[in-house]
Amino acid sequence: MEPCSCDTFVALPPATVDNRIIFGKNSDRPCDEVQEIVFFPAAVHDNLKELLKCTYIEIDQVPETYAIVLSRPAWLWGAEMGANEHGVCIGNEAVWGREEVCDEEALLGMDLVRLGLERADTAEKALNVIVDLLEKYGQGGNCAEGRMVFSYHNSFLIADRNEAWILETAGKHWAAEKVQEGVRNISNQLSITTKIDREHPNMRNYAKQKGWWDGKKEFDFTAAYSYLDTAKMMISPGRYCEGYKLLNKHKGNITFKTMMEILRDKPSGINMEGEFLTTASMVSILPQDSNLPCIHFFTGTPDPERSVFKPFIFVPNISQLLDTSSPTFEFEDSVKKKPHFNIKPDRRHPLYQKHQQALKILNNKEEKAKAMLDNMRKLEKELFKEMESVLQNKHLDVDKIVNLFPQCTKDEIRIYKSNISS
C-alpha cells in the first residue's frame, strides 16, 4: 500500500520555536489529479430540511458553518487538508487493516475533513464531529476520479492553537490519541498503540469477537486492527518512520520553514514522485497567543520543492481565490451519475497550468531552471519575512491581507510566465 500515500505532521512546544504549534501535510495523489485551493465563507443555514450534498451522499445540515480554506482534489466536495477561521487544521491519510474496506458509497475521509473544519472551533470538537458522522453515515466510496478504483479507511491529524489529536479508524470503529507536546506524525498505517485517550465504545469488544485480541494482554489498537508488528514500527524503513526521524532531528528548533523542508524531502520518500506524487502541500503556524493570527501556507501545485508556499490569513471579506480555483462544468451533474466521475474533464486552474508549463523548462533547460527557482525562492523568502513581521509586531494590515493569497499567486504566475515566454 506504500504507493498510495500521504504524510501529516504536527510539532508543539517545547519542540517548536516561539510557542507555536506547526502543522504540515503533503497530499500524495494520482499524478494527473489537480488540487485546488478554495475559500468558503462562514454561513448561516436557515432551512435545515435541505440536505447537504457531499461527494456521494446527502447528510443533515447544521445551523451554522465556519469560514474554511481547503486544498482539495478538484473533482470532489471534501478536502485532503485545510483550516478554519478558529485555527483548526485537519489532514487525512489512507489506511488499511484487518477490517475490510466497504465498497458502498458513504462519506469519504476527505468529506469528513471538510465537515470537521466547517462545524468545529477546536480540535477535540472536530474529532467529535467526525466520529459522530462516522457512526451515523459510515465511510466508503471511490477516492479517485475516472476508472481507477481507490478506496480506504482514514486516519486524521487534527490540530488547533493548544493541542492535537490523532484519530484512526477501521470502518465505524476508532481510537484517538491526544498530543499536548513534542512531535507526532501519521502516514498510511495505523499508529496508535496503547496510549488511547478516547475510543469507540465497542472498539475493544469488536476486536475480541474477531479474534484480533485475546482480552487479556494490554490492548494495542494498531496490533489488533492492522497487520503491523508495533515493536518494529519505529525501525521500519517506511515513510512513517522517516518522518518521525526528521521531526526528531529538529526537535526544539522546529519552525514553519523546518516543516517545509521536511515536506520537500525526497530521500525519505515524503516528497513523492511517480504514479502517485505530492500533488499539493500545506504548512500552518498556530500561535498559542490568541492575539496573533494563524497563518496557513499552501502550494496548490505538485512537488513542494518546485512550488511556492503562499500564505493565507483569515480576515473579513476575503477575496475569492480565482487563480487556484478549477473550472466547473455544465455537465458536472451528468458526470456524477453512476458510475460516478467516470469522465475526467480538464480541471487545471490558472496557477496549475503555468506551473506545469514551467516544469518543462525546469526539466530541460538547466540555466533557465536555476534562474526560475532562484526567483521562486526569493518570492518565498520575502513572504516569510513579511509573515514573521506580522507575528512579531502583532500588526495586521487587513486591507492588504484580504488579497494576500491571490496576490502571491499572481506573483508566482508572473515568474512562470516570464520564463515561459523568454
Side-chain angles (χ1 to χ4, degrees):
M1 292 300 179
E2 189 73 353
C4 311
S5 57
C6 286
D7 292 277
T8 312
F9 304 88
V10 70
L12 304 89
T16 59
V17 174
D18 291 331
N19 225 30
R20 300 168 185 171
I21 290 178
I22 308 292
F23 172 94
K25 173 169 162 68
N26 271 355
S27 172
D28 302 332
R29 302 278 304 167
C31 61
D32 59 347
E33 184 179 78
V34 177
Q35 200 147 149
E36 60 178 352
I37 313 300
V38 286
F39 166 76
F40 295 98
V44 173
H45 308 281
D46 294 322
N47 183 11
L48 293 180
K49 289 180 182 175
E50 195 174 310
L51 293 173
L52 172 65
K53 178 74 168 75
C54 300
T55 303
Y56 294 122
I57 66 168
E58 294 182 332
I59 68 169
D60 293 332
Q61 183 55 283
V62 291
E64 180 187 9
T65 50
Y66 300 124
I68 56 172
V69 62
L70 305 174
S71 184
R72 69 174 186 181
W75 61 273
L76 52 63
W77 182 84
E80 275 279 289
M81 51 201 173
N84 71 18
E85 61 183 298
H86 297 288
V88 178
C89 297
I90 309 178
N92 82 308
E93 309 278 334
V95 291
W96 296 265
R98 296 181 200 269
E99 182 72 355
E100 206 170 310
V101 174
C102 177
D103 291 332
E104 198 175 313
E105 288 175 348
L107 288 173
L108 293 180
M110 292 174 280
D111 293 337
L112 291 166
V113 168
R114 177 169 175 177
L115 290 162
L117 292 170
E118 284 190 340
R119 300 180 177 196
D121 59 2
T122 69
E124 188 168 10
K125 284 182 188 173
L127 185 150
N128 293 340
V129 166
I130 292 171
V131 298
D132 288 350
L133 290 166
L134 197 61
E135 183 67 31
K136 189 171 182 181
Y137 299 103
Q139 60 180 322
N142 191 8
C143 301
E145 184 181 29
R147 298 180 189 279
M148 176 184 173
V149 178
F150 180 35
S151 300
Y152 45 77
H153 293 147
N154 291 269
S155 65
F156 304 86
L157 199 162
I158 312 166
D160 62 22
R161 291 176 181 268
N162 300 304
E163 64 190 26
W165 283 86
I166 308 299
L167 169 62
E168 297 184 340
T169 72
K172 285 192 175 185
H173 296 95
W174 55 272
E177 176 188 336
K178 188 176 186 178
V179 185
Q180 290 179 287
E181 62 175 29
V183 296
R184 186 69 160 82
N185 63 305
I186 58 172
S187 197
N188 297 105
Q189 61 184 66
L190 298 179
S191 63
I192 294 173
T193 56
T194 56
K195 185 187 183 299
I196 301 170
D197 295 298
R198 290 186 53 188
E199 64 189 73
H200 186 283
N202 194 41
M203 183 263 288
R204 294 177 195 239
N205 192 42
Y206 184 76
K208 196 173 173 184
Q209 286 173 351
K210 287 280 192 176
W212 301 339
W213 176 53
D214 62 9
K216 295 171 186 171
K217 62 184 174 196
E218 186 179 19
F219 186 81
D220 179 322
F221 180 71
T222 293
Y225 276 85
S226 80
Y227 299 101
L228 293 173
D229 180 340
T230 54
K232 294 178 183 173
M233 198 161 65
M234 292 316 300
I235 55 169
S236 69
R239 287 182 348 276
Y240 173 71
C241 186
E242 293 302 311
Y244 180 79
K245 283 183 196 168
L246 285 169
L247 280 174
N248 276 279
K249 179 183 171 185
H250 300 285
K251 208 170 175 179
N253 299 296
I254 295 173
T255 66
F256 67 94
K257 288 182 265 192
T258 314
M259 191 64 79
M260 290 170 189
E261 285 169 24
I262 291 171
L263 297 186
R264 283 171 164 156
D265 192 87
K266 285 191 173 168
S268 64
I270 288 164
N271 183 4
M272 197 166 216
E273 297 177 287
E275 286 301 303
F276 269 68
L277 58 75
T278 299
T279 53
S281 304
M282 170 184 173
V283 168
S284 292
I285 308 168
L286 312 175
Q288 294 194 309
D289 181 351
S290 59
N291 294 312
L292 298 174
C294 295
I295 303 175
H296 312 283
F297 294 88
F298 296 93
T299 60
T301 49
D303 189 349
E305 182 62 29
R306 298 176 170 197
S307 297
V308 174
F309 278 95
K310 299 166 288 295
F312 176 99
I313 299 174
F314 284 94
V315 289
N317 307 312
I318 289 278
S319 300
Q320 279 304 316
L321 315 182
L322 299 176
D323 286 324
T324 56
S325 295
S326 294
T328 53
F329 298 90
E330 287 179 20
F331 58 88
E332 196 77 85
D333 286 341
S334 66
V335 173
K336 291 185 182 181
K337 285 177 184 171
K338 291 189 177 181
H340 286 309
F341 304 105
N342 217 16
I343 304 164
K344 289 181 79 168
D346 184 353
R347 300 188 184 277
R348 295 174 300 162
H349 49 71
L351 175 65
Y352 188 96
Q353 288 180 22
K354 293 302 172 196
H355 180 267
Q356 292 303 97
Q357 288 172 22
L359 268 187
K360 291 174 184 172
I361 293 167
L362 287 172
N363 290 331
N364 298 316
K365 298 180 180 178
E366 197 174 319
E367 203 173 306
K368 216 173 187 183
K370 187 182 182 303
M372 182 161 58
L373 280 169
D374 285 347
N375 285 331
M376 290 162 68
R377 291 292 164 266
K378 187 180 173 189
L379 169 62
E380 207 177 55
K381 197 174 178 182
E382 287 166 4
L383 293 171
F384 293 169
K385 190 177 175 185
E386 196 179 328
M387 292 305 101
E388 198 55 65
S389 173
V390 165
L391 292 169
Q392 295 295 342
N393 302 328
K394 303 185 181 181
H395 173 67
L396 209 60
D397 184 343
V398 174
D399 292 337
K400 191 176 179 184
I401 296 299
V402 162
N403 293 300
L404 176 64
F405 188 88
Q407 185 55 55
C408 296
T409 307
K410 288 190 186 306
D411 292 341
E412 185 180 358
I413 289 172
R414 199 173 295 120
I415 291 170
Y416 297 145
K417 278 183 174 177
S418 67
N419 283 277
I420 293 161
S421 57
S422 63

